[in-house]
Amino acid sequence: MKRFYLNGIHSLENRGVDAIVRSTAALLKEQFGEIELFFPSNNVLLDQSLWPTSQEDGVYFIKLYSPFYRRPWQFIQRKLGLFLPNLLWPFPFPKKFVNFLKTIDIVLSVGGDNYSSEYGFPSFLIGVDDLAIKINKPTIIWGASVGPFTNNKNIEKIMAKHLSKMSLITVRETLSEEYVTINLHLHNTMLFPDSAFSLQPKEVDLISFWPTDNKEKVVGINVSPYLQRFGDTSVDYLSELCTFIEAVIENYNCSVLLIPHVIFSSNTSPDDLSIMRKIYMRLNHLSSKISLLENQYDSAEIKYIIGNCKYFIGARTHSTIAALSSFIPTLSLAYSTKARGINKDLFGHEEYVLDISNITSKTLMTSFQKIVNEEIEIKEILGNKIFLIKRELKKATSLLEKIV
C-alpha cells in the first residue's frame, strides 16, 4: 500500500482544499488501489466532521506540525525579506515528524497557489519539501500555479533553486508553465490540470435553499473577501455587486444563488459567507429571487449545486473549476495568474475573466452579457476540453507510479 503526505494544506473549511484532496484521493486510488493519504490538519475533529467517511476513501487526518515561532518568522520575513541572506526555513524539525515522513512514499505539495506571491513567502512549506528531499522522498508539486516572483529577484532566485530540486513540478496552466520554464529556467516541469476538474459531484436536495422564482434560470455567484484585499480599496465592491445582481434579476428574468466556498467555523477572519450575508441582507426585498447557501456542504455537494445553475460567476478558483467542469458558462473574477491561465487553456483567451481591479456593476454586466450571448459556444468548448483534461489527469497519476 502506497503512503502519501500532503504538504501545504491544513483545513477543509476551504472547499477548494476539500476539492483537491477528494479528487486527488480518487485519482490515486484508481492508479494504486488502496492508499493512505495523510492530511495535516489544524483541527482534526472538525475536518473529520466535514468528511466522516474519509478513511473509506483512503484519507487520514493527522495533527498539523506548526511550531509557535512559525508566524513570528513569517512576520520577520515580510519586514526584512529583502535584507535576509537566506529566506528558507532555518529551524530543525522534531524527530517524531522526521520519522513519520520516512514512512511516506511520496510527498505531494498541494494547495493550488502556495508557490505564488499572493500569500507571502512559503518558507515553512519549503522547509518540509527540503526535509523530504533530504531523506530521499520523491517530492512533487501537484497541479499548482507557480509565481510570478518577478517583483523580488532575490526571492525569485531562491524559488528557482528550491524548485529545481523537486522530483517533478506539475503546473495546472500554461502561464505558470511558461514562467517556470522561461523565467526560472527549470525543465522538471509538466503541464497537468488541477485535479479538482475530475471531482465527482454528489447529489443533494436543492429545495431548501433554491430560489422559488425562475428556478430554471439561476445565476450562481461566489464572492470572496479577496476582492477588497487585492482590489481597489476605493471601490465599494458590495454596492457594485448588489447593483449588478438587481440588474441581472430585473433585465434577464433570472434568480440568484449566493454560494460561499470558504466558511470558517470561527469568526477570527473574514470568509465568503460573511461577505455574502451582507449582500443577501441588502437584497432581502428580492427574497423570492435570491437565496444564500448557508449550510455546510462539502466540495462535491457544492459542485452538484453549481452544476444546476444556468450561469456562474466566481472569485474562488475552485468554485469556477466546479462550474467549468460542469459545462456551466462561467465568469471568473480574477486576483491572480491562476484564473487567467485556466481560462486561457480552456478557451484560448481571457475574455471570460474580469480582473478585480476592474470590477464595477457596469463591467460585471458587460462580462455577464458576453457569457450569456456565447452560452452555446462555451458549452461546446467545455464539453470537448473537460474530456481531454480528465484523460490528462490519469496520465499524471501514472507518472507517480514510475517515480515511486
Side-chain angles (χ1 to χ4, degrees):
M1 182 184 296
K2 298 302 180 186
R3 290 161 61 92
F4 301 84
Y5 179 76
L6 299 174
N7 184 28
I9 54 176
H10 59 265
S11 174
L12 293 182
E13 290 182 305
N14 183 325
R15 299 307 189 270
V17 169
D18 187 282
I20 290 171
V21 178
R22 286 176 189 269
S23 55
T24 295
L27 288 166
L28 292 176
K29 285 189 74 173
E30 186 176 350
Q31 183 67 38
F32 293 95
E34 292 303 308
I35 60 164
E36 290 179 329
L37 184 64
F38 293 95
F39 181 117
S41 168
N42 62 8
N43 190 330
V44 172
L45 292 177
L46 174 62
D47 285 332
Q48 286 176 337
S49 71
L50 294 172
W51 192 353
T53 61
S54 62
Q55 292 190 13
E56 296 174 18
D57 298 312
V59 177
Y60 296 82
F61 298 106
I62 59 174
K63 184 175 175 56
L64 170 71
Y65 169 67
S66 183
F68 71 90
Y69 43 81
R70 177 179 177 177
R71 288 188 180 277
W73 175 243
Q74 290 173 331
F75 175 80
I76 292 171
Q77 288 178 318
R78 281 197 298 271
K79 296 298 182 183
L80 301 176
L82 288 171
F83 306 102
L84 291 176
N86 191 328
L87 287 173
L88 304 184
W89 185 255
F91 310 104
F93 287 92
K95 188 175 181 180
K96 182 178 180 181
F97 181 71
V98 176
N99 288 338
F100 167 74
L101 214 56
K102 286 179 179 178
T103 70
I104 298 297
D105 293 300
I106 295 182
V107 174
L108 298 176
S109 272
V110 295
D113 50 8
N114 286 325
Y115 290 94
S116 69
S117 56
E118 270 79 39
Y119 309 111
F121 188 75
S123 60
F124 182 75
L125 186 72
I126 287 174
V128 177
D129 287 345
D130 281 342
L131 172 61
I133 293 167
K134 183 179 179 180
I135 60 177
N136 298 315
K137 296 299 177 182
T139 306
I140 296 165
I141 293 183
W142 183 246
S145 297
V146 177
F149 301 99
T150 47
N151 290 335
N152 189 321
K153 291 299 179 182
N154 184 36
I155 289 179
E156 188 170 61
K157 186 184 298 184
I158 291 170
M159 288 305 302
K161 182 179 179 181
H162 172 68
L163 294 174
S164 69
K165 297 183 288 184
M166 307 295 281
S167 305
L168 180 66
I169 301 169
T170 66
V171 290
R172 61 184 173 184
E173 26 78 20
T174 50
L175 291 181
S176 287
E177 182 188 34
E178 291 167 4
Y179 176 74
V180 172
T181 55
I182 296 172
N183 293 66
L184 303 185
H185 309 291
L186 301 179
H187 304 289
N188 55 340
T189 305
M190 302 191 78
L191 180 67
F192 286 115
D194 192 302
S195 64
F197 275 100
S198 66
L199 179 68
Q200 291 298 311
K202 188 193 307 180
E203 185 174 352
V204 297
D205 186 359
L206 304 174
I207 294 175
S208 63
F209 54 80
W210 206 252
T212 54
D213 284 0
N214 307 315
K215 294 181 180 180
E216 303 302 317
K217 293 183 65 178
V218 172
V219 181
I221 296 179
N222 165 261
V223 180
S224 159
Y226 286 158
L227 292 181
Q228 205 67 56
R229 176 178 171 183
F230 294 115
D232 186 341
T233 54
S234 66
V235 176
D236 183 348
Y237 287 104
L238 284 183
S239 294
E240 297 294 336
L241 285 161
C242 287
T243 300
F244 164 70
I245 290 171
E246 286 182 306
V248 165
I249 290 173
E250 181 178 349
N251 299 335
Y252 289 87
N253 199 29
C254 290
S255 289
V256 167
L257 177 62
L258 301 172
I259 306 175
H261 216 245
V262 173
I263 305 175
F264 296 134
S265 56
S266 64
N267 296 320
T268 53
S269 56
D271 60 6
D272 296 2
L273 182 58
S274 62
I275 190 171
M276 297 178 86
R277 272 197 184 123
K278 294 177 182 177
I279 294 173
Y280 183 64
M281 293 304 295
R282 288 195 192 185
L283 299 175
N284 60 8
H285 58 285
L286 301 169
S287 57
S288 65
K289 296 180 174 66
I290 186 168
S291 185
L292 171 63
L293 188 68
E294 295 196 68
N295 291 342
Q296 291 273 20
Y297 292 98
D298 65 42
S299 61
E301 293 167 333
I302 292 176
K303 182 169 184 176
Y304 176 80
I305 293 165
I306 290 174
N308 277 272
C309 297
K310 188 168 179 61
Y311 307 105
F312 188 75
I313 300 168
R316 296 283 183 181
T317 300
H318 284 93
S319 74
T320 64
I321 288 176
L324 292 164
S325 57
S326 302
F327 318 122
I328 306 300
T330 300
L331 173 62
S332 299
L333 308 180
Y335 60 88
S336 68
T337 300
K338 51 190 175 180
R340 293 172 44 236
I342 290 169
N343 271 265
K344 186 177 180 182
D345 290 348
L346 285 173
F347 301 107
H349 58 73
E350 301 169 28
E351 295 173 15
Y352 309 134
V353 178
L354 180 59
D355 193 276
I356 61 170
S357 61
N358 298 323
I359 288 179
T360 65
S361 58
K362 290 182 180 179
T363 57
L364 282 165
M365 183 55 73
T366 300
S367 299
F368 178 70
Q369 177 71 61
K370 186 170 184 62
I371 66 169
V372 170
N373 290 345
E374 300 176 14
E375 176 181 358
I376 295 174
E377 179 185 349
I378 291 171
K379 284 179 173 289
E380 184 177 343
I381 291 171
L382 291 176
N384 294 327
K385 288 282 189 176
I386 300 305
F387 171 78
L388 296 174
I389 282 173
K390 290 180 178 179
R391 191 168 66 181
E392 287 299 308
L393 283 168
K394 292 183 179 180
K395 289 183 184 178
T397 47
S398 67
L399 271 178
L400 295 185
E401 193 161 32
K402 294 177 182 177
I403 289 172
V404 75

